Amino acid sequence: MVKEYYGFVKKYLKVAQIKTSTLCLMFFTAFFNKGLQLLITLFAAWIIDYATNGDIHMTFTSLIFLILTYTGERATFFWNLKIYGRNMHHMVTTLESKIVNKVISVDENFTKKVSKGNLFSTINNDLYNIGDSLDSVVNMITTLIQIIILFFIITFYSVPIALLFLVYALSFTMFRNWADRKSAYYLTSEKKQGDKYTSLFSQIISGMQEIKTFNMFDDLMLKLKKTQKRYSYYFEKKRHYMTIRGNDSRLITYGFRLAIYIYTLYLMANGAGIDLLVIIIGYHQSLESYINDLIKSSSYFRESMVSVDRVNNILDYKEPQKIDYGDYKNDLIKGEVEFKNVSFAHRDRKILDNVSFKIKPRSLTMIVGQSGMGKSSILNLILRLYKIDEGEILIDGVNIYDYTKDVHSTNVSVVTQKPFVFNMSIRKNLDFVDTNILNQIEACRRVGIHDFISSLPQGYNTILRENGSNISGGQKQLIALARTLLSRSEILLFDEITSSLDPETGKHIMELTKNLKKDHTIIMVTHKPEMMKHADRIIVLHNGKIVGDGKHNDLIMNNEYYCYLQARKSVSKFGVFDNEI
């Protein structure tokens, strides 16, 4: 058990990364607090002994010591709490920053290992459990020392009583430890089911429109109930062992308390003083309190290790194929993009097969084809979300993996068909890219959203609701485009940005795109035939290969597959499904 807890403490301190000075202060104040607690019973016994023997001077001297001990005990407790509070804040904010930075930097495989429900639960609960646990670690170690000192004091007065104390302590601790192990096991399973429930519930909220449209409610409720049933099972099992821990352990306490009282009466009948009675009764109650304190701290700490493991699960995530940045810092990007014999597979499926093309700066290139043919994969590869298997991707003749992170991220931006906006003001959404209000207004004018924003009562200070639900899809798309322009990126990637918009807004965005190509390289993925004719160049993909390359009129005349795409009004009855990366 000692080895197990040593491993726990080591793992905990590694995650928590507590300052050495804080840890020392916590132990120092806790140790003195525990030591002063031990003296209270001793001074109380001395007061009774001296008073019984008529020694008034020593009675009052012991009383003064008792008062000083009480004062010191409260003072050290107060400072221990102050240090604990400061450390709690430091620890939680540090871990929050680490998790956020980790989530931002990982690849898409991360969400297969860590669910959204797990992530939310970790941020909202687990970090605070870990913060609370430092008090448990310190309390556990100092209380153990306190119990050892108590045994020495009792041994000095009566060895048989000390042996009874020892048997009681071992029996009580072993029983509680067994119950705690069982409780912690079921707590882990309970949290997993809670994560699944939270994740599913979050998806239901996000997909409410589709759920109503396709009448999925009954099936989803059945799935929720099954998860809830499994959660309830583990919760009840956990509570069962917690009840045993609380109830049956009291029976052990009562049995040993009775035995100790009987033996103490026996000693008094044979001439022992009343001070022995005070010490034995006082220290037995203290021992009971200390053991309970020790077990409560160790139980809480054991439970917090579930939280430590969950945080480690996030922080220790290793990307299967990490893509490192280079050290090429030239930021004077013109915007030429070239694929040289690029092949790429994902999840054992060939996505791109020996694809080559060169896109000139200041041009509008559209990549077209049916769903699952590799169009969005090309954008994802330019964004460095994946690493190619063969070939090269070049920007201005330099390998895309050679650029520094700053150069790449400031020169390549993407707008998707479902852009994300934060639940904050329009201005703050734009501030993430450029805090200059004049630049924000200029970008919004250019995309044609400034007049709408100005017409709102709060203007640029208007709060956007979650997912921008208080504005239309087209307005949200235009704000996203303005945000992209503020990034000053030379290469703009548009992934189906008009797919869910009304025809009028789609036409406006197309005109805007034609204007933007004057000072940007634009690569657009689209399924809409009416959009394709506006491109300077169209690259046609089929089964991961280029089967057509040219302008609209040339492809109409010479490419049968492109003609087929033009004849299709939409990709499917229900829109574009997420069947390609």
Side-chain angles (χ1 to χ4, degrees):
M1 189 175 80
V2 174
K3 187 178 179 181
E4 179 186 23
Y5 276 104
Y6 174 76
F8 282 170
V9 171
K10 193 175 177 182
K11 189 191 292 187
Y12 170 79
L13 292 176
K14 182 182 176 183
V15 170
Q17 293 189 338
I18 305 159
K19 294 178 180 178
T20 306
S21 58
T22 301
L23 197 60
C24 289
L25 281 171
M26 284 281 287
F27 271 109
F28 179 80
T29 52
F31 184 77
F32 268 89
N33 180 263
K34 302 291 185 183
L36 292 170
Q37 286 177 14
L38 282 171
L39 292 176
I40 289 170
T41 300
L42 201 58
F43 287 143
W46 287 0
I47 289 168
I48 292 171
D49 184 43
Y50 289 131
T52 304
N53 294 320
D55 191 337
I56 302 301
H57 174 72
M58 288 305 297
T59 300
F60 277 102
T61 302
S62 299
L63 183 60
I64 291 168
F65 278 126
L66 182 61
I67 292 168
L68 290 173
T69 303
Y70 274 127
T71 305
E73 191 272 336
R74 286 294 87 193
T76 51
F77 182 74
F78 171 78
W79 284 109
N80 185 265
L81 283 181
K82 290 281 286 185
I83 297 163
Y84 158 73
R86 288 174 187 169
N87 178 72
M88 173 83 165
H89 174 73
H90 166 76
M91 195 184 301
V92 170
T93 52
T94 301
L95 285 174
E96 278 178 347
S97 298
K98 281 187 174 184
I99 289 175
V100 170
N101 290 333
K102 186 70 177 183
V103 171
I104 289 171
S105 66
V106 294
D107 60 17
E108 64 155 19
N109 293 304
F110 175 76
T111 53
K112 296 171 193 171
K113 186 177 179 183
V114 181
S115 69
K116 203 180 275 187
N118 185 324
L119 201 55
F120 290 154
S121 179
T122 297
I123 292 288
N124 293 328
N125 301 315
D126 291 326
L127 297 189
Y128 292 92
N129 289 343
I130 292 171
D132 270 337
S133 296
L134 176 60
D135 192 47
S136 298
V137 172
V138 172
N139 197 47
M140 198 164 55
I141 295 170
T142 53
T143 301
L144 185 60
I145 296 169
Q146 187 180 34
I147 290 170
I148 293 168
I149 294 171
L150 184 147
F151 275 117
F152 277 113
I153 295 171
I154 294 296
T155 303
F156 177 78
Y157 281 93
S158 172
V159 174
I161 293 290
L163 289 173
L164 272 175
F165 273 35
L166 181 61
V167 173
Y168 162 71
L170 291 174
S171 303
F172 189 87
T173 304
M174 288 173 67
F175 177 79
R176 284 290 297 266
N177 187 59
W178 168 79
D180 285 342
R181 283 172 179 272
K182 290 289 188 179
S183 178
Y185 170 78
Y186 287 110
L187 174 68
T188 304
S189 301
E190 175 200 324
K191 280 183 174 283
K192 285 181 181 177
Q193 295 305 317
D195 290 344
K196 288 181 181 179
Y197 187 91
T198 304
S199 182
L200 181 57
F201 188 76
S202 172
Q203 292 175 61
I204 289 172
I205 296 297
S206 301
M208 190 59 73
Q209 186 174 344
E210 287 81 0
I211 290 167
K212 289 179 180 178
T213 303
F214 299 111
N215 196 24
M216 302 176 184
F217 187 74
D218 290 341
D219 288 340
L220 287 168
M221 283 305 296
L222 184 62
K223 194 173 180 67
L224 267 179
K225 285 178 180 177
K226 284 181 178 177
T227 306
Q228 195 175 43
K229 188 176 179 180
R230 287 194 293 269
Y231 174 88
S232 297
Y233 168 77
Y234 290 121
F235 174 79
E236 287 170 7
K237 293 292 283 185
K238 181 196 76 176
R239 290 298 307 173
H240 169 71
Y241 285 103
M242 288 177 72
T243 302
I244 290 175
R245 182 181 69 189
N247 185 62
D248 294 8
S249 60
R250 298 302 296 173
L251 294 175
I252 296 172
T253 298
Y254 294 151
F256 276 97
R257 184 182 294 176
L258 184 62
I260 288 166
Y261 288 173
I262 291 171
Y263 187 73
T264 304
L265 290 173
Y266 167 76
L267 291 176
M268 290 185 69
N270 286 275
I274 195 169
D275 59 319
L276 179 63
L277 178 64
V278 173
I279 285 175
I280 290 175
I281 291 175
Y283 277 134
H284 178 262
Q285 290 176 342
S286 295
L287 178 63
E288 183 184 335
S289 173
Y290 298 160
I291 291 175
N292 272 317
D293 208 13
L294 176 65
I295 291 171
K296 189 187 293 182
S297 296
S298 62
S299 298
Y300 188 85
F301 184 63
R302 188 189 291 275
E303 289 174 5
S304 75
M305 289 314 298
V306 175
S307 297
V308 169
D309 288 338
R310 284 154 62 87
V311 169
N312 274 330
N313 194 36
I314 296 170
L315 297 179
D316 291 345
Y317 172 78
K318 297 285 190 299
E319 294 182 37
Q321 188 184 39
K322 187 173 181 180
I323 305 172
D324 294 320
Y325 286 92
D327 53 10
Y328 191 75
K329 296 180 180 179
N330 180 22
D331 198 23
L332 301 174
I333 302 296
K334 295 177 181 177
E336 181 186 85
V337 178
E338 182 177 5
F339 274 51
K340 275 188 176 181
N341 308 116
V342 172
S343 294
F344 169 64
H346 185 67
R347 297 177 189 169
D348 300 323
R349 185 170 75 89
K350 194 83 167 179
I351 307 294
L352 297 177
D353 186 7
N354 199 33
V355 169
S356 296
F357 59 80
K358 182 186 283 190
I359 295 174
K360 295 179 181 178
R362 313 289 189 269
S363 64
L364 170 59
T365 301
M366 292 194 185
I367 302 174
V368 303
Q370 292 177 279
S371 291
M373 296 299 149
K375 305 181 303 300
S376 294
S377 296
I378 287 177
L379 302 192
N380 288 335
L381 290 172
I382 296 172
L383 287 167
R384 291 174 38 100
L385 297 181
Y386 305 95
K387 192 157 188 173
I388 58 176
D389 300 317
E390 296 176 15
E392 282 186 300
I393 301 174
L394 309 173
I395 293 178
D396 286 1
V398 178
N399 193 301
I400 197 170
Y401 303 118
D402 291 340
Y403 284 102
T404 64
K405 183 177 182 179
D406 285 342
V407 172
H408 180 268
S409 61
T410 54
N411 283 284
V412 182
S413 292
V414 65
V415 181
T416 64
Q417 59 181 306
K418 292 182 179 179
F420 181 80
V421 292
F422 290 94
N423 179 205
M424 51 184 68
S425 70
I426 295 171
R427 175 168 294 169
K428 286 186 177 179
N429 269 277
L430 299 174
D431 279 348
F432 285 116
V433 184
D434 188 340
T435 56
N436 188 305
I437 184 62
L438 295 178
N439 291 342
Q440 292 177 7
I441 292 172
E442 181 188 349
C444 289
R445 284 187 191 279
R446 190 169 183 188
V447 302
I449 193 66
H450 172 72
D451 291 342
F452 165 74
I453 295 173
S454 299
S455 70
L456 297 170
Q458 301 296 319
Y460 280 82
N461 293 319
T462 300
I463 302 295
L464 298 178
R465 292 180 196 153
E466 188 175 351
N467 202 29
S469 60
N470 55 334
I471 57 176
S472 71
Q475 290 158 351
K476 185 167 71 170
Q477 192 67 273
L478 291 174
I479 290 172
L481 278 167
R483 187 169 58 189
T484 300
L485 289 186
L486 285 170
S487 70
R488 311 292 182 189
S489 296
E490 291 295 331
I491 301 166
L492 303 181
L493 310 177
F494 294 163
D495 193 359
E496 297 286 2
I497 62 172
T498 62
S499 64
S500 57
L501 303 181
D502 61 88
E504 195 61 35
T505 306
K507 191 182 294 184
H508 170 72
I509 286 181
M510 193 62 249
E511 290 302 315
L512 171 64
T513 303
K514 288 160 66 176
N515 177 266
L516 289 176
K517 75 175 184 178
K518 294 175 184 176
D519 45 15
H520 297 279
T521 302
I522 300 176
I523 304 173
M524 176 184 282
V525 167
T526 185
H527 283 92
K528 291 191 171 182
E530 64 272 18
M531 303 287 287
M532 299 175 190
K533 61 185 72 173
H534 298 287
D536 298 320
R537 178 185 180 186
I538 300 168
I539 296 173
V540 187
L541 282 181
H542 184 62
N543 290 333
K545 291 178 178 287
I546 295 178
V547 295
D549 190 348
K551 288 182 176 289
H552 170 75
N553 291 336
D554 295 334
L555 291 170
I556 282 289
M557 296 291 294
N558 302 309
N559 192 289
E560 184 178 347
Y561 182 67
Y562 182 73
C563 292
Y564 164 72
L565 293 176
Q566 283 288 312
R568 290 166 60 93
K569 290 185 178 179
S570 62
V571 177
S572 84
K573 182 179 177 182
F574 301 112
V576 181
F577 291 97
D578 185 21
N579 59 356
E580 65 171 304
I581 60 167

